Amino acid sequence: MNTPRIRVGIDVGGTFTDAVAVDATTLELLGQVKVPTSHHHEDGVAHGIVEALDRLLEQTGRAPADVAFLAHGTTQATNALLEGDVATVGLIGIGTGPAAVLTRRLASFGKLELAPGKKLPLAYAHVADPQDSAAVRHAVEQLKGEGTQVLVASQPFSVDRPEGEQAVLDAARPYGLPMTAAHEITSLYGLHKRTRTAVVNAAILPRMLATADLVDASISKAGVTAPLMVMRCDGGVMSLGEMRRRPLLTVLSGPAAGVAGALMQERVSEGVFLETGGTSTDISVVRRGKVAVRHATILGKTSYLSALDVRTVGVGGGSMVRIGEGRVTGVGPRSAHIAGLPYACFASPDQLRYATVGTVRPMDGDPADYAVIDAAGGRFAVTMTCAANALGRVPEGDFARCDPETARAAIAPLADRLGTDVATAATQILDAGIAQVKTVVDAMIRDYRLDQDTAVLVGGGGGAASVTPHLAHTSGMEGRIARHNEVISPIGVALALVREQVERIVPGASQEQILAVRAEAERAVVAQGAAAEGVEVEVTVDPQTNTVRAVATGATELRTQDRSHRADDTERLRAAAASLKTDPAAVHVLAGTAAHTVYGTQTRRRLRPTRRPIRIVDVDGVVRHHAADARVETTTVAGAPEVLARLVGEATSYGDGGVRAPALRLLLGSRIADLSGVLDPQPLLALARSELRARAADEPVVAVLEVRS
């Protein structure tokens, strides 16, 4: 009998490195370990990664050859920027006349503040003619004399004409410095923003190259033959080679790992993910089965780095309670961890004897209104976790679970101080704590127009039980804590897909140009190890900004589906009916493939057109897509071009805002091809034909169209 292979995810945090092993077929968690992050070892964090891997293999009884996939996430790039621990960047501006004026202004990047009182170390040199090798060499020698450790070449309009930047790098190559061209980092217009993104990328390049080399060598030495992948800030992974080129993609990848875990393990299609630690909660969105990303703000400036849209609130499981005037006045931002105090709820009953309530100033400059318990066992912090346990919000087996009686005993002195009972005091604590979180969650639901009928709250992180259950209870939204929530981030790393995003500014993009961007993204993920047969590409064309964006994702192996449990027809029907908020008897099967079933119903309102809401449910009983009003039609690959042309023609609207083709999704084989990002009918149909390419003529195709208002 063959031993199932495993996927390994390793999350390198500031204090600990967590690693998990996941069955490559069932995707179930097989083992987990935690080791101290080895910042000060001669091999840096690579030592901790290998130590975690060794322990994990020993725990699961597996050999290095059993590892089918290995990826790690790291906070190293983020920390380098936050702490100002970066290399000196030598920026070579290129151009004459007006172009020279523009590039010389880029020297102002040396004023960017990394940390309080610490500026981005940058030296600037100018080259009029990039083909003048002698001038380039002179510029490089000037920059080296100013301490340059890494080079960036930048020229106006290099996304269209990259030859100048490339010529500068070619001439500078003999000097042996790491280097990059601005057009290699992003292909979007905007000299200032493009160069700033490239400069920040270069500032962390030498440090990340050294780490990549150490990790690669260490993993190879350990006998692992699977390619090493690295977590990106947009919820996917990239090859080590790609990380060496664009290490900036690892910035903010910590929160991205958690939401990737929620997306892949919890199979969230619409909702808000809250990853709660001891001090803070990171809040992010999954919309229609995809993580929400946006261009990130780095060093106080917008960049061309597409990263998870994560918003952080200073409330976590260890957040301390603040009191005054006989009531709870707030929670946090100071946590028990930072104050150096144990949680009161994790004390023993004997330690809590003779308890009295006091207030302290945890750190210099803090207000002196943080509640503490002074008892026989010493001083303890009253935290969100204490309150959640006292109210029974923490489920059995959870990382943050304690004896509820002890938790109530921990809250009792504070309740007496406030003149109320334990349950009321605990509720006041959680209400105050989640108030800040709820404000952000409500804003993100509005910003991304989440469907509140289907959106769920999913909690991850060791402190999940202190925030998510109470927020769900008070908001009326469905909520749950992710399985293995304390290791949701390394699980996300283990399950993440290879991802690449290609963006181009193409005014009036033709079908051929859109398809070329799509093909470039597809080739990029295949080059990084994704199995070509399973690559999915989502294309968006923004007519206002003339941006063509293609996001490709794929697994490094064609995943075999575990069939130990599949939802039956009744379970899938119930899931659809629950999502549609109607009786199962009113729900009908409209279409389906082997992997997905489309369910629908009708809603009638006086003086309004009949609406046909639908839900697409997968074989596990998970709602993968929902629409308030959609048209569904089944055809075959052979018949699809003609059928789709008719459907799109009938559903396309014309008006002052221009042409608006319907939002189209195709159910093909095991996947849903999302073509909803294209508004022009002809490119839309061209993309649909590209999805049908190389498929059997008699294979069924289900088209789901939503008319845009």
Side-chain angles (χ1 to χ4, degrees), residues 19 33 155 188 213 267 274 367 429 446 463-464 568:
V33 299
Q155 183 178 23
L188 296 180
D213 291 342
R267 307 197 177 196
L274 305 102
I429 292 169
R446 288 194 306 271
D568 60 23

Side-chain angles (χ1 to χ4, degrees), residues 59-390:
Q59 182 188 104
T60 58
R62 304 302 171 91
D66 295 327
V67 178
F69 175 91
L70 173 62
H72 79 279
T74 176
T75 60
Q76 191 171 23
T78 305
N79 293 342
L81 292 175
L82 291 174
E83 297 164 9
D85 185 14
V86 299
T88 298
V89 179
L91 174 59
I92 300 178
I94 306 167
T96 59
V101 174
L102 294 174
T103 52
R104 289 184 190 278
R105 290 175 181 169
L106 303 176
S108 64
F109 292 152
K111 297 178 182 178
L112 289 173
E113 189 172 67
L114 295 170
K118 193 162 187 177
K119 306 291 186 183
L120 176 71
L122 181 129
Y124 180 84
H126 195 85
V127 172
D129 180 3
Q131 305 299 331
D132 185 345
S133 299
V136 174
R137 289 194 297 270
H138 178 75
V140 175
E141 288 168 1
Q142 172 196 327
L143 294 173
K144 285 192 70 176
E146 297 179 48
T148 287
Q149 299 164 279
V150 58
L151 291 174
V152 174
S154 183
Q155 183 178 23
F157 306 109
S158 62
V159 293
D160 295 324
R161 299 191 299 273
E163 299 84 4
E165 291 181 355
Q166 197 58 56
V168 167
L169 296 189
D170 290 341
R173 208 168 304 282
Y175 290 89
L177 293 173
M179 51 189 178
T180 188
H183 77 271
E184 294 175 334
I185 303 304
T186 175
S187 295
L188 296 180
Y189 292 149
L191 174 68
H192 206 265
K193 188 183 291 188
R194 182 172 69 250
T195 307
R196 185 172 63 242
T197 305
V199 164
V200 176
N201 180 79
I204 59 175
L205 188 59
R207 179 174 177 177
M208 297 299 288
L209 285 175
T211 298
D213 291 342
L214 283 169
V215 174
D216 193 20
S218 300
I219 294 298
S220 297
K221 187 178 178 180
V224 175
T225 56
L228 177 62
M229 312 298 285
V230 184
M231 194 73 200
R232 295 165 52 112
C233 54
D234 56 11
V237 292
M238 58 184 166
S239 68
L240 200 61
E242 190 59 30
M243 193 278 277
R244 287 187 172 103
R245 190 170 76 89
R246 293 185 292 170
L248 190 61
L249 287 172
T250 67
V251 171
L252 307 176
S253 62
V259 75
L263 188 65
M264 301 298 291
Q265 176 189 271
E266 297 299 309
R267 307 197 177 196
V268 179
S269 62
E270 189 96 349
V272 179
F273 178 66
L274 305 102
E275 186 163 16
T276 303
T279 303
S280 62
T281 296
D282 291 329
I283 305 168
S284 48
V285 162
V286 174
R287 184 176 185 272
R288 297 195 169 184
K290 300 177 180 67
V291 297
V293 299
R294 64 178 180 179
H295 285 152
T297 297
I298 300 176
L299 305 184
K301 305 287 185 179
T302 57
S303 71
Y304 279 140
L305 174 70
S306 290
L308 179 75
D309 183 2
V310 58
R311 306 179 195 180
T312 302
V313 176
V315 173
S319 293
M320 296 173 64
V321 179
R322 299 169 66 179
I323 59 174
E325 300 179 355
R327 63 186 180 88
V328 173
T329 59
V331 172
R334 190 65 67 208
S335 70
H337 311 79
I338 302 301
L341 295 174
Y343 294 24
C345 61
F346 292 129
S348 68
D350 285 343
Q351 289 176 313
L352 291 177
R353 285 182 301 134
Y354 316 121
T356 60
V357 176
T359 56
V360 300
R361 190 189 311 273
M363 305 286 286
D364 290 342
D366 288 346
D369 61 356
Y370 285 87
V372 294
I373 301 294
D374 289 308
R379 173 167 287 178
F380 301 91
V382 182
T383 68
M384 289 279 287
T385 297
C386 298
N389 274 290

Side-chain angles (χ1 to χ4, degrees), residues 19 112 141 144 170 192 213 270 333 354 381 384 400 408 427 439 456 463 476 480 511 526 542 621 638 653 671 685:
L112 289 173
E141 288 168 1
K144 285 192 70 176
D170 290 341
H192 206 265
D213 291 342
E270 189 96 349
Y354 316 121
M384 289 279 287
R408 286 190 281 272
T427 300
T439 298
V456 298
R480 67 176 185 266
Q511 296 178 36
V526 171
D542 187 337
S653 60
R671 63 194 186 90
L685 292 170

Side-chain angles (χ1 to χ4, degrees), residues 651-705:
T652 297
S653 60
Y654 300 85
D656 294 340
V659 180
R660 296 177 68 83
L664 173 64
R665 291 170 177 83
L666 301 177
L667 275 59
L668 291 162
S670 63
R671 63 194 186 90
I672 303 172
D674 187 348
L675 308 179
S676 62
V678 182
L679 297 175
D680 191 303
Q682 295 312 311
L684 172 62
L685 292 170
L687 283 168
R689 289 193 295 271
S690 73
E691 293 289 345
L692 300 171
R693 191 176 56 235
R695 289 184 174 271
D698 60 350
E699 182 178 345
V701 178
V702 177
V704 179
L705 297 90

